[in-house]
mmCIF file of all heavy atoms in Angstrom:
data_model
loop_
_atom_site.group_PDB
_atom_site.id
_atom_site.type_symbol
_atom_site.label_atom_id
_atom_site.label_comp_id
_atom_site.label_asym_id
_atom_site.label_seq_id
_atom_site.Cartn_x
_atom_site.Cartn_y
_atom_site.Cartn_z
ATOM 1 N N VAL A 1 96.704 148.105 178.994
ATOM 2 C CA VAL A 1 97.179 149.449 178.444
ATOM 3 C C VAL A 1 98.006 150.042 179.429
ATOM 4 O O VAL A 1 97.615 150.281 180.641
ATOM 5 C CB VAL A 1 95.929 150.349 178.087
ATOM 6 C CG1 VAL A 1 96.401 151.678 177.556
ATOM 7 C CG2 VAL A 1 95.038 149.683 177.009
ATOM 8 N N LEU A 2 99.222 150.385 179.090
ATOM 9 C CA LEU A 2 100.256 150.974 180.050
ATOM 10 C C LEU A 2 100.552 152.409 179.636
ATOM 11 O O LEU A 2 100.900 152.703 178.476
ATOM 12 C CB LEU A 2 101.480 150.087 179.852
ATOM 13 C CG LEU A 2 102.684 150.626 180.725
ATOM 14 C CD1 LEU A 2 102.521 150.381 182.166
ATOM 15 C CD2 LEU A 2 104.017 149.797 180.303
ATOM 16 N N VAL A 3 100.459 153.292 180.587
ATOM 17 C CA VAL A 3 100.837 154.626 180.406
ATOM 18 C C VAL A 3 102.283 154.772 180.833
ATOM 19 O O VAL A 3 102.630 154.579 181.935
ATOM 20 C CB VAL A 3 99.960 155.684 181.251
ATOM 21 C CG1 VAL A 3 100.450 157.048 180.962
ATOM 22 C CG2 VAL A 3 98.467 155.542 180.730
ATOM 23 N N THR A 4 103.130 155.167 179.900
ATOM 24 C CA THR A 4 104.572 155.388 180.260
ATOM 25 C C THR A 4 104.899 156.860 180.243
ATOM 26 O O THR A 4 104.690 157.523 179.016
ATOM 27 C CB THR A 4 105.509 154.574 179.315
ATOM 28 O OG1 THR A 4 105.214 153.199 179.417
ATOM 29 C CG2 THR A 4 106.979 154.866 179.490
ATOM 30 N N HIS A 5 105.404 157.419 181.243
ATOM 31 C CA HIS A 5 105.629 158.864 181.345
ATOM 32 C C HIS A 5 107.071 159.198 180.861
ATOM 33 O O HIS A 5 107.251 160.302 180.192
ATOM 34 C CB HIS A 5 105.491 159.346 182.786
ATOM 35 C CG HIS A 5 104.044 159.208 183.250
ATOM 36 N ND1 HIS A 5 103.112 160.236 183.161
ATOM 37 C CD2 HIS A 5 103.350 158.104 183.822
ATOM 38 C CE1 HIS A 5 101.916 159.712 183.668
ATOM 39 N NE2 HIS A 5 102.054 158.528 184.025
ATOM 40 N N ASP A 6 108.039 158.351 181.252
ATOM 41 C CA ASP A 6 109.402 158.757 180.748
ATOM 42 C C ASP A 6 110.220 157.536 181.042
ATOM 43 O O ASP A 6 109.935 156.584 181.719
ATOM 44 C CB ASP A 6 110.004 159.936 181.431
ATOM 45 C CG ASP A 6 110.111 159.889 183.005
ATOM 46 O OD1 ASP A 6 110.808 158.837 183.351
ATOM 47 O OD2 ASP A 6 109.498 160.617 183.723
ATOM 48 N N LEU A 7 111.486 157.577 180.442
ATOM 49 C CA LEU A 7 112.561 156.613 180.687
ATOM 50 C C LEU A 7 113.729 157.219 181.383
ATOM 51 O O LEU A 7 114.872 156.959 181.028
ATOM 52 C CB LEU A 7 113.044 155.931 179.436
ATOM 53 C CG LEU A 7 111.781 155.184 178.675
ATOM 54 C CD1 LEU A 7 112.423 154.563 177.407
ATOM 55 C CD2 LEU A 7 111.124 154.187 179.549
ATOM 56 N N ALA A 8 113.493 158.131 182.360
ATOM 57 C CA ALA A 8 114.556 158.921 183.041
ATOM 58 C C ALA A 8 115.535 157.935 183.717
ATOM 59 O O ALA A 8 116.704 158.200 183.683
ATOM 60 C CB ALA A 8 113.966 159.820 184.027
ATOM 61 N N HIS A 9 115.045 156.861 184.198
ATOM 62 C CA HIS A 9 115.857 155.840 184.907
ATOM 63 C C HIS A 9 116.896 155.252 183.932
ATOM 64 O O HIS A 9 118.044 154.874 184.415
ATOM 65 C CB HIS A 9 115.045 154.722 185.518
ATOM 66 C CG HIS A 9 114.241 154.021 184.444
ATOM 67 N ND1 HIS A 9 112.966 154.500 184.049
ATOM 68 C CD2 HIS A 9 114.427 152.879 183.704
ATOM 69 C CE1 HIS A 9 112.489 153.639 183.133
ATOM 70 N NE2 HIS A 9 113.344 152.738 182.886
ATOM 71 N N ALA A 10 116.588 155.212 182.630
ATOM 72 C CA ALA A 10 117.560 154.606 181.667
ATOM 73 C C ALA A 10 118.612 155.712 181.284
ATOM 74 O O ALA A 10 119.750 155.288 180.918
ATOM 75 C CB ALA A 10 116.798 154.130 180.459
ATOM 76 N N HIS A 11 118.244 156.953 181.270
ATOM 77 C CA HIS A 11 119.121 158.005 180.852
ATOM 78 C C HIS A 11 120.045 158.536 182.007
ATOM 79 O O HIS A 11 121.136 158.916 181.739
ATOM 80 C CB HIS A 11 118.327 159.187 180.340
ATOM 81 C CG HIS A 11 117.679 158.950 179.095
ATOM 82 N ND1 HIS A 11 118.206 159.232 177.809
ATOM 83 C CD2 HIS A 11 116.424 158.384 178.787
ATOM 84 C CE1 HIS A 11 117.366 158.932 176.870
ATOM 85 N NE2 HIS A 11 116.285 158.386 177.440
ATOM 86 N N PHE A 12 119.563 158.337 183.215
ATOM 87 C CA PHE A 12 120.302 158.857 184.436
ATOM 88 C C PHE A 12 120.354 157.751 185.481
ATOM 89 O O PHE A 12 119.928 158.000 186.629
ATOM 90 C CB PHE A 12 119.695 160.164 184.943
ATOM 91 C CG PHE A 12 119.808 161.310 183.959
ATOM 92 C CD1 PHE A 12 118.738 161.543 183.068
ATOM 93 C CD2 PHE A 12 121.018 162.123 183.954
ATOM 94 C CE1 PHE A 12 118.814 162.584 182.132
ATOM 95 C CE2 PHE A 12 120.990 163.155 183.042
ATOM 96 C CZ PHE A 12 119.965 163.339 182.077
ATOM 97 N N PRO A 13 120.854 156.575 185.218
ATOM 98 C CA PRO A 13 120.824 155.503 186.257
ATOM 99 C C PRO A 13 121.529 155.834 187.499
ATOM 100 O O PRO A 13 121.219 155.385 188.540
ATOM 101 C CB PRO A 13 121.402 154.288 185.409
ATOM 102 C CG PRO A 13 122.199 154.925 184.324
ATOM 103 C CD PRO A 13 121.489 156.191 183.975
ATOM 104 N N SER A 14 122.666 156.588 187.355
ATOM 105 C CA SER A 14 123.463 156.919 188.513
ATOM 106 C C SER A 14 122.750 157.739 189.562
ATOM 107 O O SER A 14 123.271 157.908 190.643
ATOM 108 C CB SER A 14 124.798 157.563 188.044
ATOM 109 O OG SER A 14 124.555 158.807 187.472
ATOM 110 N N GLN A 15 121.633 158.417 189.109
ATOM 111 C CA GLN A 15 120.906 159.246 190.046
ATOM 112 C C GLN A 15 119.899 158.489 190.864
ATOM 113 O O GLN A 15 119.149 159.149 191.642
ATOM 114 C CB GLN A 15 120.344 160.466 189.265
ATOM 115 C CG GLN A 15 121.325 161.292 188.628
ATOM 116 C CD GLN A 15 120.824 162.555 187.985
ATOM 117 O OE1 GLN A 15 119.583 162.832 188.043
ATOM 118 N NE2 GLN A 15 121.539 163.273 187.267
ATOM 119 N N LEU A 16 119.872 157.171 190.735
ATOM 120 C CA LEU A 16 118.855 156.371 191.441
ATOM 121 C C LEU A 16 119.597 155.531 192.501
ATOM 122 O O LEU A 16 120.747 155.035 192.292
ATOM 123 C CB LEU A 16 118.083 155.461 190.536
ATOM 124 C CG LEU A 16 117.004 156.120 189.647
ATOM 125 C CD1 LEU A 16 116.504 155.027 188.660
ATOM 126 C CD2 LEU A 16 115.958 156.658 190.451
ATOM 127 N N PRO A 17 118.974 155.267 193.631
ATOM 128 C CA PRO A 17 119.551 154.353 194.577
ATOM 129 C C PRO A 17 119.694 152.933 193.888
ATOM 130 O O PRO A 17 118.956 152.624 193.011
ATOM 131 C CB PRO A 17 118.465 154.203 195.692
ATOM 132 C CG PRO A 17 117.679 155.551 195.555
ATOM 133 C CD PRO A 17 117.682 155.861 194.145
ATOM 134 N N PHE A 18 120.682 152.054 194.339
ATOM 135 C CA PHE A 18 121.005 150.919 193.649
ATOM 136 C C PHE A 18 119.787 149.971 193.375
ATOM 137 O O PHE A 18 119.672 149.542 192.252
ATOM 138 C CB PHE A 18 122.084 150.161 194.488
ATOM 139 C CG PHE A 18 122.447 148.787 193.899
ATOM 140 C CD1 PHE A 18 123.186 148.690 192.730
ATOM 141 C CD2 PHE A 18 121.880 147.562 194.479
ATOM 142 C CE1 PHE A 18 123.535 147.448 192.198
ATOM 143 C CE2 PHE A 18 122.160 146.430 193.906
ATOM 144 C CZ PHE A 18 122.933 146.300 192.707
ATOM 145 N N PHE A 19 119.064 149.652 194.432
ATOM 146 C CA PHE A 19 117.866 148.765 194.209
ATOM 147 C C PHE A 19 116.835 149.292 193.329
ATOM 148 O O PHE A 19 116.175 148.578 192.527
ATOM 149 C CB PHE A 19 117.394 148.230 195.498
ATOM 150 C CG PHE A 19 118.390 147.329 196.285
ATOM 151 C CD1 PHE A 19 119.019 147.782 197.380
ATOM 152 C CD2 PHE A 19 118.558 145.959 195.796
ATOM 153 C CE1 PHE A 19 119.939 146.894 197.974
ATOM 154 C CE2 PHE A 19 119.474 145.133 196.412
ATOM 155 C CZ PHE A 19 120.193 145.576 197.501
ATOM 156 N N HIS A 20 116.546 150.564 193.368
ATOM 157 C CA HIS A 20 115.640 151.134 192.444
ATOM 158 C C HIS A 20 116.099 150.998 191.039
ATOM 159 O O HIS A 20 115.417 150.766 190.128
ATOM 160 C CB HIS A 20 115.400 152.627 192.801
ATOM 161 C CG HIS A 20 114.655 152.902 194.100
ATOM 162 N ND1 HIS A 20 115.158 152.712 195.299
ATOM 163 C CD2 HIS A 20 113.441 153.330 194.290
ATOM 164 C CE1 HIS A 20 114.319 153.011 196.220
ATOM 165 N NE2 HIS A 20 113.221 153.286 195.700
ATOM 166 N N ARG A 21 117.397 151.284 190.831
ATOM 167 C CA ARG A 21 117.965 151.251 189.497
ATOM 168 C C ARG A 21 117.883 149.846 188.972
ATOM 169 O O ARG A 21 117.535 149.684 187.809
ATOM 170 C CB ARG A 21 119.396 151.741 189.580
ATOM 171 C CG ARG A 21 120.142 151.730 188.258
ATOM 172 C CD ARG A 21 121.496 152.449 188.338
ATOM 173 N NE ARG A 21 122.459 151.780 189.106
ATOM 174 C CZ ARG A 21 122.958 152.248 190.297
ATOM 175 N NH1 ARG A 21 122.508 153.331 190.759
ATOM 176 N NH2 ARG A 21 123.984 151.631 190.996
ATOM 177 N N LEU A 22 118.257 148.881 189.765
ATOM 178 C CA LEU A 22 118.176 147.496 189.339
ATOM 179 C C LEU A 22 116.746 147.056 188.964
ATOM 180 O O LEU A 22 116.553 146.399 187.978
ATOM 181 C CB LEU A 22 118.716 146.582 190.446
ATOM 182 C CG LEU A 22 118.864 145.108 190.180
ATOM 183 C CD1 LEU A 22 119.912 144.962 189.022
ATOM 184 C CD2 LEU A 22 119.381 144.325 191.395
ATOM 185 N N TYR A 23 115.820 147.484 189.754
ATOM 186 C CA TYR A 23 114.453 147.172 189.508
ATOM 187 C C TYR A 23 113.992 147.716 188.165
ATOM 188 O O TYR A 23 113.340 146.940 187.344
ATOM 189 C CB TYR A 23 113.559 147.675 190.578
ATOM 190 C CG TYR A 23 112.044 147.450 190.366
ATOM 191 C CD1 TYR A 23 111.429 146.248 190.773
ATOM 192 C CD2 TYR A 23 111.251 148.369 189.660
ATOM 193 C CE1 TYR A 23 110.173 146.004 190.616
ATOM 194 C CE2 TYR A 23 109.883 148.130 189.481
ATOM 195 C CZ TYR A 23 109.286 146.914 189.957
ATOM 196 O OH TYR A 23 108.029 146.666 189.745
ATOM 197 N N TYR A 24 114.257 148.994 187.944
ATOM 198 C CA TYR A 24 113.824 149.560 186.595
ATOM 199 C C TYR A 24 114.548 148.956 185.398
ATOM 200 O O TYR A 24 113.952 148.669 184.363
ATOM 201 C CB TYR A 24 114.104 151.110 186.651
ATOM 202 C CG TYR A 24 113.027 151.847 187.383
ATOM 203 C CD1 TYR A 24 113.369 152.644 188.548
ATOM 204 C CD2 TYR A 24 111.774 151.901 186.958
ATOM 205 C CE1 TYR A 24 112.402 153.351 189.221
ATOM 206 C CE2 TYR A 24 110.824 152.579 187.552
ATOM 207 C CZ TYR A 24 111.131 153.321 188.765
ATOM 208 O OH TYR A 24 110.194 154.077 189.397
ATOM 209 N N GLN A 25 115.868 148.629 185.609
ATOM 210 C CA GLN A 25 116.660 147.964 184.566
ATOM 211 C C GLN A 25 116.050 146.675 184.154
ATOM 212 O O GLN A 25 115.987 146.347 182.922
ATOM 213 C CB GLN A 25 118.094 147.871 184.877
ATOM 214 C CG GLN A 25 118.874 149.138 185.003
ATOM 215 C CD GLN A 25 120.267 149.019 185.528
ATOM 216 O OE1 GLN A 25 120.551 147.933 186.082
ATOM 217 N NE2 GLN A 25 121.097 150.002 185.271
ATOM 218 N N ILE A 26 115.558 145.919 185.077
ATOM 219 C CA ILE A 26 115.089 144.612 184.856
ATOM 220 C C ILE A 26 113.615 144.653 184.299
ATOM 221 O O ILE A 26 113.266 144.075 183.334
ATOM 222 C CB ILE A 26 115.124 143.674 186.021
ATOM 223 C CG1 ILE A 26 116.577 143.419 186.367
ATOM 224 C CG2 ILE A 26 114.354 142.420 185.806
ATOM 225 C CD1 ILE A 26 116.805 142.703 187.745
ATOM 226 N N PHE A 27 112.839 145.431 184.995
ATOM 227 C CA PHE A 27 111.353 145.307 184.758
ATOM 228 C C PHE A 27 110.846 146.357 183.754
ATOM 229 O O PHE A 27 109.750 146.008 183.164
ATOM 230 C CB PHE A 27 110.627 145.362 186.121
ATOM 231 C CG PHE A 27 110.773 144.106 186.913
ATOM 232 C CD1 PHE A 27 111.645 144.124 188.011
ATOM 233 C CD2 PHE A 27 110.041 143.003 186.620
ATOM 234 C CE1 PHE A 27 111.782 142.905 188.761
ATOM 235 C CE2 PHE A 27 110.161 141.758 187.297
ATOM 236 C CZ PHE A 27 111.079 141.787 188.415
ATOM 237 N N ALA A 28 111.307 147.530 183.639
ATOM 238 C CA ALA A 28 110.717 148.540 182.828
ATOM 239 C C ALA A 28 110.652 147.999 181.374
ATOM 240 O O ALA A 28 109.604 148.136 180.789
ATOM 241 C CB ALA A 28 111.449 149.812 182.859
ATOM 242 N N PRO A 29 111.650 147.385 180.831
ATOM 243 C CA PRO A 29 111.538 146.837 179.441
ATOM 244 C C PRO A 29 110.523 145.765 179.320
ATOM 245 O O PRO A 29 109.715 145.656 178.367
ATOM 246 C CB PRO A 29 112.918 146.287 179.087
ATOM 247 C CG PRO A 29 113.898 147.000 180.055
ATOM 248 C CD PRO A 29 113.044 147.230 181.335
ATOM 249 N N LYS A 30 110.437 144.923 180.418
ATOM 250 C CA LYS A 30 109.378 143.843 180.408
ATOM 251 C C LYS A 30 108.005 144.355 180.392
ATOM 252 O O LYS A 30 107.089 143.837 179.707
ATOM 253 C CB LYS A 30 109.669 142.892 181.639
ATOM 254 C CG LYS A 30 110.982 142.095 181.549
ATOM 255 C CD LYS A 30 111.065 141.289 182.820
ATOM 256 C CE LYS A 30 112.427 140.450 182.916
ATOM 257 N NZ LYS A 30 112.503 139.487 181.811
ATOM 258 N N PHE A 31 107.716 145.367 181.263
ATOM 259 C CA PHE A 31 106.434 145.961 181.341
ATOM 260 C C PHE A 31 106.004 146.556 179.976
ATOM 261 O O PHE A 31 104.883 146.326 179.517
ATOM 262 C CB PHE A 31 106.407 147.104 182.399
ATOM 263 C CG PHE A 31 106.567 146.632 183.785
ATOM 264 C CD1 PHE A 31 107.124 147.534 184.758
ATOM 265 C CD2 PHE A 31 106.132 145.350 184.224
ATOM 266 C CE1 PHE A 31 107.373 147.139 186.011
ATOM 267 C CE2 PHE A 31 106.386 144.987 185.548
ATOM 268 C CZ PHE A 31 106.930 145.832 186.448
ATOM 269 N N ASN A 32 106.844 147.324 179.389
ATOM 270 C CA ASN A 32 106.519 147.922 178.088
ATOM 271 C C ASN A 32 106.278 146.838 177.037
ATOM 272 O O ASN A 32 105.503 147.068 176.048
ATOM 273 C CB ASN A 32 107.551 148.987 177.677
ATOM 274 C CG ASN A 32 107.369 150.245 178.479
ATOM 275 O OD1 ASN A 32 106.522 151.057 178.189
ATOM 276 N ND2 ASN A 32 108.151 150.478 179.594
ATOM 277 N N ARG A 33 107.091 145.824 177.042
ATOM 278 C CA ARG A 33 106.973 144.720 175.972
ATOM 279 C C ARG A 33 105.746 143.964 176.244
ATOM 280 O O ARG A 33 105.187 143.426 175.283
ATOM 281 C CB ARG A 33 108.291 143.907 175.902
ATOM 282 C CG ARG A 33 109.500 144.690 175.418
ATOM 283 C CD ARG A 33 110.727 143.919 175.516
ATOM 284 N NE ARG A 33 111.895 144.708 175.058
ATOM 285 C CZ ARG A 33 113.083 144.697 175.573
ATOM 286 N NH1 ARG A 33 113.394 143.867 176.526
ATOM 287 N NH2 ARG A 33 114.120 145.472 175.129
ATOM 288 N N ARG A 34 105.383 143.760 177.495
ATOM 289 C CA ARG A 34 104.195 142.940 177.796
ATOM 290 C C ARG A 34 102.887 143.695 177.456
ATOM 291 O O ARG A 34 101.948 143.024 177.068
ATOM 292 C CB ARG A 34 104.188 142.575 179.310
ATOM 293 C CG ARG A 34 102.869 142.220 179.892
ATOM 294 C CD ARG A 34 102.327 140.854 179.347
ATOM 295 N NE ARG A 34 101.041 140.552 179.810
ATOM 296 C CZ ARG A 34 99.858 141.038 179.337
ATOM 297 N NH1 ARG A 34 99.907 141.875 178.365
ATOM 298 N NH2 ARG A 34 98.725 140.655 179.871
ATOM 299 N N ALA A 35 102.890 145.022 177.625
ATOM 300 C CA ALA A 35 101.593 145.700 177.358
ATOM 301 C C ALA A 35 101.050 145.452 175.956
ATOM 302 O O ALA A 35 101.847 145.401 174.946
ATOM 303 C CB ALA A 35 101.870 147.216 177.651
ATOM 304 N N ASP A 36 99.718 145.385 175.840
ATOM 305 C CA ASP A 36 99.107 145.261 174.518
ATOM 306 C C ASP A 36 99.084 146.571 173.840
ATOM 307 O O ASP A 36 99.196 146.627 172.596
ATOM 308 C CB ASP A 36 97.681 144.690 174.715
ATOM 309 C CG ASP A 36 97.716 143.319 175.283
ATOM 310 O OD1 ASP A 36 97.898 142.382 174.549
ATOM 311 O OD2 ASP A 36 97.526 143.189 176.552
ATOM 312 N N ARG A 37 98.926 147.647 174.551
ATOM 313 C CA ARG A 37 98.963 149.008 174.067
ATOM 314 C C ARG A 37 99.737 149.938 174.993
ATOM 315 O O ARG A 37 99.653 149.683 176.242
ATOM 316 C CB ARG A 37 97.574 149.631 173.812
ATOM 317 C CG ARG A 37 96.711 148.879 172.740
ATOM 318 C CD ARG A 37 97.311 149.171 171.343
ATOM 319 N NE ARG A 37 97.352 150.518 170.931
ATOM 320 C CZ ARG A 37 98.022 150.970 169.931
ATOM 321 N NH1 ARG A 37 98.517 150.105 169.074
ATOM 322 N NH2 ARG A 37 98.054 152.252 169.638
ATOM 323 N N ILE A 38 100.482 150.888 174.505
ATOM 324 C CA ILE A 38 101.180 151.785 175.364
ATOM 325 C C ILE A 38 100.672 153.254 174.946
ATOM 326 O O ILE A 38 100.586 153.541 173.852
ATOM 327 C CB ILE A 38 102.778 151.714 175.107
ATOM 328 C CG1 ILE A 38 103.204 150.296 175.557
ATOM 329 C CG2 ILE A 38 103.539 152.815 175.991
ATOM 330 C CD1 ILE A 38 104.776 150.168 175.145
ATOM 331 N N VAL A 39 100.493 153.998 175.993
ATOM 332 C CA VAL A 39 100.252 155.448 175.823
ATOM 333 C C VAL A 39 101.325 156.234 176.415
ATOM 334 O O VAL A 39 101.611 156.123 177.621
ATOM 335 C CB VAL A 39 98.905 155.850 176.483
ATOM 336 C CG1 VAL A 39 98.613 157.293 176.354
ATOM 337 C CG2 VAL A 39 97.632 155.096 175.892
ATOM 338 N N ALA A 40 102.026 156.906 175.528
ATOM 339 C CA ALA A 40 103.160 157.823 176.005
ATOM 340 C C ALA A 40 102.626 159.187 176.186
ATOM 341 O O ALA A 40 101.661 159.588 175.570
ATOM 342 C CB ALA A 40 104.350 157.846 174.994
ATOM 343 N N VAL A 41 103.265 159.984 177.123
ATOM 344 C CA VAL A 41 102.689 161.319 177.408
ATOM 345 C C VAL A 41 103.307 162.393 176.449
ATOM 346 O O VAL A 41 102.864 163.550 176.520
ATOM 347 C CB VAL A 41 103.026 161.774 178.831
ATOM 348 C CG1 VAL A 41 102.259 160.831 179.805
ATOM 349 C CG2 VAL A 41 104.480 161.781 179.127
ATOM 350 N N SER A 42 104.232 161.906 175.540
ATOM 351 C CA SER A 42 104.829 162.916 174.599
ATOM 352 C C SER A 42 105.347 162.104 173.448
ATOM 353 O O SER A 42 105.629 161.022 173.522
ATOM 354 C CB SER A 42 105.898 163.718 175.248
ATOM 355 O OG SER A 42 107.025 162.980 175.674
#
């Protein structure tokens, strides 16, 4: 069960350092697709 707070990294990628941005771009979709259940905060 994955708690996802926001996707700010996807909306404002230029505001992240390069390697942080790359990590989120690659792995955030994988994490959310892999989870059996997701709990969003809003």
